Amino acid sequence: MSSHLIREWRFMLRQSYVVVLLLCGFIVSSFSVITGLSEIDAQKQTIERLKQADEIDRAEAQAKHEDPGSLAYYSFHLTYSEPSDLAFAALGDRDIYPWKHRIRMLALEGQIYESDAQNPELAQAGKIDFAFVISALSPLLLILLFHDLFASERTSGRYDLLVTTTESPYALWGARVAARLIAIFISLILPFYVGALISDTAIGDVLLLSLWCLIYFAFWITLSLFVGKKVTSAPRVASVLIGFWALFTFVIPILGDLAINQSVHSPQGSDILLTQREAVNDAWDLPVETTMDAFVATHPEYKDFTEVKGGFEWKWYYAFQQVGDQVTGLLSKDYRDAGLKKHELAGYVTFLSPPMLMQKKMTRLAETDALAAMEYETQIRDFHQSLRMFYYPWLFSRDKFDKSKLDLIPRFETSKNNGQFPEQVESI
């Protein structure tokens, strides 16, 4: 078999169009890896720069203010979603969903959904990352390499002679298929291996992604050979295969997306933002008791500390910030539930679209999909809640504020759930 493989390898390299296709695949794959590494490096540098600025800004706020209410109001806290080591290969939704926020201990929903509005043209354009090259572009290269495997021999009149003179059909066609598969695999995957080495990606992730690519390539090769066996004309074979490619890559995903958006309805981020702002702004004109009663309903431990003697007290201010989150709690939960439902339904659509399935698997492995964005949002909510639990005992009790305790203030830390999305956080 090795001699047949070497023979077919030499024969393949004498075909100029094959060499051009392999070179184009290598160039496009290299470009996607380079731009992916550059994007992720820029995000990491941004996070590090913001972390340093965040520490300086908070230290200045703590130096200027002495009471807990002012400290909570003027202190910002950076939250961020650190890109994984594999994110360079599958940028996923990191250009759609926010991956950094600076939050304060004010009403949270508005702070989260302030960045919900995106430029739809930019969001749809996306980026040519390695996942796009593999899922959408590699099938075209495979079609061009394998569509005329049989048809070209029939057209030249060599097919019958080759079949009758070869010792085994597998020795001829198997070696030819293997040589081209190895060549396209190397040209497309080699840049990824270099990028994975630079990014220090886990070897397990590299091997798993390689296996998925191999299976994905085998699917398109099998489809090409099957159609090539049935259709004698190379142009007709190519037309049929490109039709399948367009169906799987564009038609099914677009129709699936339209169907999902029609079947799953949810509030917009702007609706949540507007509702919360109205609730917070209206609180200034409501009786203090109305706000405090709503606050105590969810925080009964502070029922004996709701009296407001002056015209303004910080505990009243943060109480109606809390109530603003409570008013929008159901809207926010519906929004998150709808996002999870859409993601679940999109998972079913992927079984009808191999390119979509391949991209979904790569972004999940790289933790750059919608689930990763929802996980980050959950971490923000948990962190914001820890800030409230840190400040509330001083705001709602008569204990004297001890500024030295600021060393114990919660710090945001990213966490990974090994691909498992955490349980939904209950409405505040």
Side-chain angles (χ1 to χ4, degrees):
M1 182 65 180
S2 60
S3 61
H4 294 295
L5 186 61
I6 294 173
R7 181 199 67 215
E8 291 299 331
W9 185 269
R10 291 173 177 172
F11 174 71
M12 178 188 67
L13 294 180
R14 287 198 297 267
Q15 297 177 289
S16 58
Y17 84 95
V18 173
V19 176
V20 170
L21 285 176
L22 295 175
L23 183 60
C24 288
F26 179 79
I27 292 173
V28 173
S29 179
S30 299
F31 173 78
S32 69
V33 169
I34 291 172
T35 55
L37 288 171
S38 176
E39 173 66 22
I40 294 303
D41 183 63
Q43 291 184 11
K44 288 181 177 180
Q45 289 184 19
T46 298
I47 289 174
E48 290 303 316
R49 186 172 65 253
L50 290 177
K51 285 167 68 174
Q52 295 176 10
D54 181 64
E55 292 289 343
I56 295 172
D57 181 70
R58 190 162 51 252
E60 291 177 351
Q62 292 176 358
K64 290 179 181 178
H65 304 283
E66 300 297 328
D67 62 289
S70 297
L71 283 167
Y73 183 84
Y74 289 105
S75 296
F76 285 86
H77 302 267
L78 176 67
T79 68
Y80 55 91
S81 174
E82 188 83 33
S84 69
D85 295 332
L86 191 59
F88 77 93
L91 297 174
D93 293 330
R94 286 185 72 86
D95 59 342
I96 299 176
Y97 294 100
W99 46 269
K100 60 184 183 303
H101 281 291
R102 290 185 74 212
I103 65 170
R104 291 186 289 169
M105 209 190 77
L106 306 182
L108 178 63
E109 301 297 337
Q111 298 181 74
I112 287 180
Y113 296 111
E114 276 178 341
S115 59
D116 182 65
Q118 300 283 335
N119 185 319
E121 287 78 12
L122 292 178
Q124 289 178 2
K127 296 178 180 177
I128 302 179
D129 58 359
F130 182 72
F132 177 79
V133 170
I134 294 299
S135 63
L137 297 185
S138 69
L140 283 178
L141 295 176
L142 291 166
I143 288 171
L144 292 173
L145 281 175
F146 289 92
H147 78 282
D148 65 342
L149 200 67
F150 303 119
S152 61
E153 301 297 348
R154 291 193 184 101
T155 303
S156 63
R158 296 192 301 264
Y159 182 82
D160 293 334
L161 178 64
L162 288 172
V163 171
T164 55
T165 57
T166 185
E167 60 188 51
S168 167
Y170 296 103
L172 172 63
W173 305 116
R176 188 165 296 184
V177 169
R180 297 193 177 198
L181 173 59
I182 293 171
I184 192 66
F185 188 85
I186 292 174
S187 66
L188 292 178
I189 305 299
L190 183 59
F192 164 71
Y193 288 157
V194 175
L197 184 64
I198 295 173
S199 186
D200 197 24
T201 306
I203 186 65
D205 291 342
V206 173
L207 293 177
L208 182 58
L209 194 146
S210 301
L211 177 61
W212 289 344
C213 289
L214 192 61
I215 294 173
Y216 186 64
F217 291 172
F219 165 78
W220 283 102
I221 292 172
T222 302
L223 181 62
S224 299
L225 296 180
F226 176 79
V227 175
K229 276 280 191 179
K230 302 296 182 182
V231 183
T232 57
S233 170
R236 289 181 60 191
V237 174
S239 298
V240 172
L241 291 173
I242 290 176
F244 277 114
W245 173 78
L247 176 67
F248 291 147
T249 307
F250 298 106
V251 178
I252 291 177
I254 291 174
L255 293 179
D257 187 58
L258 290 173
I260 291 171
N261 287 332
Q262 288 291 327
S263 61
V264 180
H265 303 282
S266 71
Q268 300 296 316
S270 57
D271 298 332
I272 300 172
L273 177 60
L274 180 61
T275 300
Q276 185 186 76
R277 284 182 176 175
E278 289 178 345
V280 171
N281 291 335
D282 291 345
W284 290 98
D285 301 320
L286 293 175
V288 173
E289 293 76 12
T290 302
T291 297
M292 289 305 189
D293 288 344
F295 175 80
V296 169
T298 56
H299 293 75
E301 65 270 26
Y302 299 118
K303 64 181 180 179
D304 296 329
F305 304 96
T306 59
E307 182 182 2
V308 177
K309 296 180 179 179
F312 176 86
E313 289 190 27
W314 280 114
K315 63 181 177 182
W316 168 61
Y317 178 79
Y318 288 109
F320 69 68
Q321 296 289 328
Q322 170 83 58
V323 173
D325 279 338
Q326 294 171 191
V327 169
T328 55
L330 289 178
L331 276 177
S332 181
K333 185 177 185 302
D334 289 343
Y335 183 88
R336 300 196 300 275
D337 289 346
L340 285 172
K341 184 64 175 178
K342 288 180 180 180
H343 185 83
E344 179 185 354
L345 293 176
Y348 296 127
V349 176
T350 61
F351 290 109
L352 303 176
S353 171
M356 193 176 173
L357 177 61
M358 185 65 185
Q359 195 160 39
K360 178 176 179 291
K361 282 189 168 295
M362 291 179 70
T363 54
R364 181 82 291 262
L365 185 64
E367 299 178 351
T368 56
D369 58 356
L371 286 185
M374 295 179 190
E375 179 182 333
Y376 167 51
E377 183 180 317
T378 299
Q379 293 172 5
I380 295 175
R381 295 178 184 279
D382 291 342
F383 174 67
H384 189 266
Q385 182 68 5
S386 69
L387 285 177
R388 281 175 164 163
M389 295 301 98
F390 178 78
Y391 280 108
Y392 278 177
W394 284 315
L395 292 169
F396 289 91
S397 69
R398 295 182 177 85
D399 295 338
K400 185 177 180 180
F401 175 62
D402 184 358
K403 197 172 181 180
S404 65
K405 298 295 185 181
L406 287 176
D407 292 337
L408 302 176
I409 195 169
R411 303 276 179 169
F412 179 81
E413 295 181 0
T414 59
S415 62
K416 301 297 181 184
N417 288 310
N418 298 321
Q420 300 297 317
F421 184 67
E423 295 294 327
Q424 285 286 356
V425 177
E426 295 295 329
S427 298
I428 298 175

